Amino acid sequence: TRIYTCQGEAQLTYGVAKPLDFSCIPFQLTPKNLVNLSARYEVPLGDSTGTLVLGANYSWIDKIYNSATTTPKDDIHGWMDSYGKLDLSVEWQDVMGSNFDLRVFGTNVTDKTYRTNAYIGLRGASGFTQSLYGEPRMYGASLRYRFGASAD
C-alpha cells in the first residue's frame, strides 16, 4: 500500500512498523476562521399589546480539514468546504398583555447544502467516504407560557 506523508510517498509493508511524518497536516476539525453575527431588534407595541422582537443570526465557518492521518494529496475528500448559514425569527412577547410568547422562526433560510462531518477512513478499506450534512431549510413556531416571577 502506498500513502502520502509530509515527506512524500511511502510504501507500507504488512507487519513492518515504519514511522511516518504527518506534521504538515492542518489541525483536524478546526476552521481557520469562524464568524457569528447576531442582531436583535425590539419594538414595543404597548403595555396591553406586548413587544415584537426581530432576530437574525449568520454563521460562517471556514473550510475544515477532516483527516488526522492523511495528506490532502492522499485523500481529496479530506477538506470540507466553507459555508454560511442564516437563521431568522420573529417573536411576539406578552401577547395582548398575557404571559404567552409566540415565536415564528426559520433556520438555514437560504437552504444551503453543507457538510458538517466526513469520515474518510472508509476510503482506504472500501473506496467510499461517508459525509454528514447539515439540516435543510426548516420553519417552525413555538408558544411559551411564563409562570410565577419569570412572568414579570
Side-chain angles (χ1 to χ4, degrees):
T1 303
R2 293 182 186 272
I3 65 169
Y4 293 95
T5 69
C6 296
Q7 296 174 334
E9 191 173 330
Q11 176 71 35
L12 299 179
T13 306
Y14 181 76
V16 178
K18 183 176 187 178
L20 301 173
D21 178 15
F22 291 110
S23 62
C24 64
I25 295 176
F27 197 71
Q28 182 183 23
L29 301 176
T30 306
K32 183 175 182 180
N33 297 297
L34 178 69
V35 176
N36 193 17
L37 301 171
S38 294
R40 177 182 164 100
Y41 185 71
E42 292 188 19
V43 180
L45 302 174
D47 291 338
S48 62
T49 307
T51 304
L52 190 64
V53 180
L54 306 172
N57 185 69
Y58 181 76
S59 301
W60 169 265
I61 298 177
D62 215 348
K63 66 181 182 174
I64 299 172
Y65 196 69
N66 204 45
S67 176
T69 58
T70 59
T71 65
K73 188 173 183 178
D74 193 38
D75 197 327
I76 60 171
H77 301 290
W79 282 105
M80 293 191 306
D81 293 335
S82 58
Y83 64 90
K85 189 170 83 84
L86 178 64
D87 301 333
L88 300 172
S89 67
V90 177
E91 184 172 352
W92 183 10
Q93 297 177 342
D94 306 321
V95 176
M96 301 307 292
S98 70
N99 292 346
F100 284 100
D101 298 336
L102 177 62
R103 181 173 178 252
V104 178
F105 61 90
T107 58
N108 191 12
V109 296
T110 61
D111 204 21
K112 175 73 175 169
T113 300
Y114 60 97
R115 289 192 307 162
T116 60
N117 196 358
Y119 178 66
I120 59 170
L122 293 175
R123 182 180 163 273
S126 65
F128 294 96
T129 60
Q130 170 186 326
S131 290
L132 300 176
Y133 288 85
E135 295 176 339
R137 175 178 33 217
M138 294 191 297
Y139 298 103
S142 66
L143 181 64
R144 175 176 60 197
Y145 181 81
R146 288 173 280 109
F147 292 92
S150 67
D152 296 326

PDB file of all heavy atoms in Angstrom, residues 55-69:
ATOM      1  N   GLY A  55     -35.220  38.835  15.145  1.00  0.00           N
ATOM      2  CA  GLY A  55     -33.885  38.289  15.368  1.00  0.00           C
ATOM      3  C   GLY A  55     -33.283  37.701  14.105  1.00  0.00           C
ATOM      4  O   GLY A  55     -33.996  37.176  13.244  1.00  0.00           O
ATOM      5  N   ALA A  56     -31.967  37.823  13.989  1.00  0.00           N
ATOM      6  CA  ALA A  56     -31.241  37.236  12.867  1.00  0.00           C
ATOM      7  C   ALA A  56     -29.889  36.737  13.369  1.00  0.00           C
ATOM      8  O   ALA A  56     -29.279  37.353  14.237  1.00  0.00           O
ATOM      9  CB  ALA A  56     -31.040  38.261  11.755  1.00  0.00           C
ATOM     10  N   ASN A  57     -29.442  35.603  12.831  1.00  0.00           N
ATOM     11  CA  ASN A  57     -28.140  35.056  13.175  1.00  0.00           C
ATOM     12  C   ASN A  57     -27.488  34.527  11.899  1.00  0.00           C
ATOM     13  O   ASN A  57     -28.101  33.760  11.157  1.00  0.00           O
ATOM     14  CB  ASN A  57     -28.275  33.929  14.201  1.00  0.00           C
ATOM     15  CG  ASN A  57     -26.913  33.447  14.656  1.00  0.00           C
ATOM     16  OD1 ASN A  57     -26.210  34.167  15.328  1.00  0.00           O
ATOM     17  ND2 ASN A  57     -26.553  32.228  14.274  1.00  0.00           N
ATOM     18  N   TYR A  58     -26.256  34.965  11.639  1.00  0.00           N
ATOM     19  CA  TYR A  58     -25.496  34.483  10.489  1.00  0.00           C
ATOM     20  C   TYR A  58     -24.208  33.848  11.004  1.00  0.00           C
ATOM     21  O   TYR A  58     -23.477  34.454  11.787  1.00  0.00           O
ATOM     22  CB  TYR A  58     -25.160  35.621   9.520  1.00  0.00           C
ATOM     23  CG  TYR A  58     -24.392  35.138   8.318  1.00  0.00           C
ATOM     24  CD1 TYR A  58     -25.028  34.452   7.293  1.00  0.00           C
ATOM     25  CD2 TYR A  58     -23.020  35.331   8.224  1.00  0.00           C
ATOM     26  CE1 TYR A  58     -24.326  33.988   6.195  1.00  0.00           C
ATOM     27  CE2 TYR A  58     -22.306  34.870   7.125  1.00  0.00           C
ATOM     28  CZ  TYR A  58     -22.962  34.193   6.120  1.00  0.00           C
ATOM     29  OH  TYR A  58     -22.263  33.719   5.040  1.00  0.00           O
ATOM     30  N   SER A  59     -23.947  32.619  10.572  1.00  0.00           N
ATOM     31  CA  SER A  59     -22.731  31.894  10.965  1.00  0.00           C
ATOM     32  C   SER A  59     -21.907  31.587   9.717  1.00  0.00           C
ATOM     33  O   SER A  59     -22.450  31.147   8.701  1.00  0.00           O
ATOM     34  CB  SER A  59     -23.083  30.570  11.645  1.00  0.00           C
ATOM     35  OG  SER A  59     -23.872  30.791  12.772  1.00  0.00           O
ATOM     36  N   TRP A  60     -20.593  31.810   9.819  1.00  0.00           N
ATOM     37  CA  TRP A  60     -19.667  31.469   8.737  1.00  0.00           C
ATOM     38  C   TRP A  60     -18.585  30.566   9.319  1.00  0.00           C
ATOM     39  O   TRP A  60     -17.974  30.888  10.330  1.00  0.00           O
ATOM     40  CB  TRP A  60     -19.024  32.714   8.140  1.00  0.00           C
ATOM     41  CG  TRP A  60     -17.892  32.377   7.212  1.00  0.00           C
ATOM     42  CD1 TRP A  60     -16.564  32.320   7.511  1.00  0.00           C
ATOM     43  CD2 TRP A  60     -18.000  32.004   5.840  1.00  0.00           C
ATOM     44  NE1 TRP A  60     -15.840  31.963   6.406  1.00  0.00           N
ATOM     45  CE2 TRP A  60     -16.696  31.749   5.370  1.00  0.00           C
ATOM     46  CE3 TRP A  60     -19.071  31.863   4.967  1.00  0.00           C
ATOM     47  CZ2 TRP A  60     -16.449  31.367   4.054  1.00  0.00           C
ATOM     48  CZ3 TRP A  60     -18.811  31.481   3.668  1.00  0.00           C
ATOM     49  CH2 TRP A  60     -17.515  31.246   3.218  1.00  0.00           C
ATOM     50  N   ILE A  61     -18.371  29.424   8.659  1.00  0.00           N
ATOM     51  CA  ILE A  61     -17.321  28.500   9.081  1.00  0.00           C
ATOM     52  C   ILE A  61     -16.403  28.282   7.886  1.00  0.00           C
ATOM     53  O   ILE A  61     -16.856  27.884   6.812  1.00  0.00           O
ATOM     54  CB  ILE A  61     -17.903  27.169   9.588  1.00  0.00           C
ATOM     55  CG1 ILE A  61     -18.780  27.438  10.814  1.00  0.00           C
ATOM     56  CG2 ILE A  61     -16.803  26.176   9.904  1.00  0.00           C
ATOM     57  CD1 ILE A  61     -19.463  26.227  11.371  1.00  0.00           C
ATOM     58  N   ASP A  62     -15.121  28.565   8.074  1.00  0.00           N
ATOM     59  CA  ASP A  62     -14.121  28.398   7.023  1.00  0.00           C
ATOM     60  C   ASP A  62     -13.939  26.913   6.713  1.00  0.00           C
ATOM     61  O   ASP A  62     -14.386  26.049   7.468  1.00  0.00           O
ATOM     62  CB  ASP A  62     -12.800  29.008   7.496  1.00  0.00           C
ATOM     63  CG  ASP A  62     -12.024  29.653   6.362  1.00  0.00           C
ATOM     64  OD1 ASP A  62     -12.376  29.435   5.194  1.00  0.00           O
ATOM     65  OD2 ASP A  62     -11.067  30.391   6.667  1.00  0.00           O
ATOM     66  N   LYS A  63     -13.257  26.617   5.612  1.00  0.00           N
ATOM     67  CA  LYS A  63     -13.026  25.219   5.251  1.00  0.00           C
ATOM     68  C   LYS A  63     -12.319  24.490   6.398  1.00  0.00           C
ATOM     69  O   LYS A  63     -11.554  25.081   7.165  1.00  0.00           O
ATOM     70  CB  LYS A  63     -12.233  25.113   3.957  1.00  0.00           C
ATOM     71  CG  LYS A  63     -10.824  25.625   4.029  1.00  0.00           C
ATOM     72  CD  LYS A  63     -10.154  25.499   2.680  1.00  0.00           C
ATOM     73  CE  LYS A  63      -8.715  25.968   2.778  1.00  0.00           C
ATOM     74  NZ  LYS A  63      -8.000  25.738   1.547  1.00  0.00           N
ATOM     75  N   ILE A  64     -12.594  23.204   6.503  1.00  0.00           N
ATOM     76  CA  ILE A  64     -12.092  22.383   7.612  1.00  0.00           C
ATOM     77  C   ILE A  64     -11.401  21.150   7.041  1.00  0.00           C
ATOM     78  O   ILE A  64     -11.939  20.493   6.142  1.00  0.00           O
ATOM     79  CB  ILE A  64     -13.244  21.935   8.535  1.00  0.00           C
ATOM     80  CG1 ILE A  64     -13.943  23.138   9.150  1.00  0.00           C
ATOM     81  CG2 ILE A  64     -12.742  20.985   9.615  1.00  0.00           C
ATOM     82  CD1 ILE A  64     -15.197  22.779   9.916  1.00  0.00           C
ATOM     83  N   TYR A  65     -10.228  20.847   7.578  1.00  0.00           N
ATOM     84  CA  TYR A  65      -9.551  19.603   7.190  1.00  0.00           C
ATOM     85  C   TYR A  65     -10.033  18.514   8.122  1.00  0.00           C
ATOM     86  O   TYR A  65     -10.043  18.669   9.343  1.00  0.00           O
ATOM     87  CB  TYR A  65      -8.024  19.743   7.251  1.00  0.00           C
ATOM     88  CG  TYR A  65      -7.349  18.639   6.510  1.00  0.00           C
ATOM     89  CD1 TYR A  65      -7.421  18.568   5.126  1.00  0.00           C
ATOM     90  CD2 TYR A  65      -6.682  17.634   7.182  1.00  0.00           C
ATOM     91  CE1 TYR A  65      -6.845  17.541   4.425  1.00  0.00           C
ATOM     92  CE2 TYR A  65      -6.086  16.592   6.487  1.00  0.00           C
ATOM     93  CZ  TYR A  65      -6.166  16.547   5.107  1.00  0.00           C
ATOM     94  OH  TYR A  65      -5.599  15.517   4.415  1.00  0.00           O
ATOM     95  N   ASN A  66     -10.423  17.381   7.570  1.00  0.00           N
ATOM     96  CA  ASN A  66     -11.138  16.368   8.338  1.00  0.00           C
ATOM     97  C   ASN A  66     -10.330  15.113   8.650  1.00  0.00           C
ATOM     98  O   ASN A  66     -10.846  14.205   9.268  1.00  0.00           O
ATOM     99  CB  ASN A  66     -12.397  15.988   7.561  1.00  0.00           C
ATOM    100  CG  ASN A  66     -13.455  15.421   8.461  1.00  0.00           C
ATOM    101  OD1 ASN A  66     -13.699  15.961   9.529  1.00  0.00           O
ATOM    102  ND2 ASN A  66     -14.063  14.356   8.051  1.00  0.00           N
ATOM    103  N   SER A  67      -9.083  15.046   8.267  1.00  0.00           N
ATOM    104  CA  SER A  67      -8.311  13.825   8.479  1.00  0.00           C
ATOM    105  C   SER A  67      -7.116  14.072   9.384  1.00  0.00           C
ATOM    106  O   SER A  67      -6.460  15.103   9.281  1.00  0.00           O
ATOM    107  CB  SER A  67      -7.821  13.271   7.145  1.00  0.00           C
ATOM    108  OG  SER A  67      -7.010  12.145   7.361  1.00  0.00           O
ATOM    109  N   ALA A  68      -6.845  13.107  10.242  1.00  0.00           N
ATOM    110  CA  ALA A  68      -5.673  13.211  11.124  1.00  0.00           C
ATOM    111  C   ALA A  68      -4.490  12.425  10.589  1.00  0.00           C
ATOM    112  O   ALA A  68      -3.364  12.610  11.048  1.00  0.00           O
ATOM    113  CB  ALA A  68      -6.029  12.711  12.516  1.00  0.00           C
ATOM    114  N   THR A  69      -4.728  11.528   9.628  1.00  0.00           N
ATOM    115  CA  THR A  69      -3.652  10.636   9.195  1.00  0.00           C
ATOM    116  C   THR A  69      -3.479  10.555   7.678  1.00  0.00           C
ATOM    117  O   THR A  69      -2.839   9.630   7.193  1.00  0.00           O
ATOM    118  CB  THR A  69      -3.895   9.210   9.729  1.00  0.00           C
ATOM    119  OG1 THR A  69      -5.172   8.763   9.256  1.00  0.00           O
ATOM    120  CG2 THR A  69      -3.846   9.184  11.241  1.00  0.00           C
TER     121      THR A  69
END
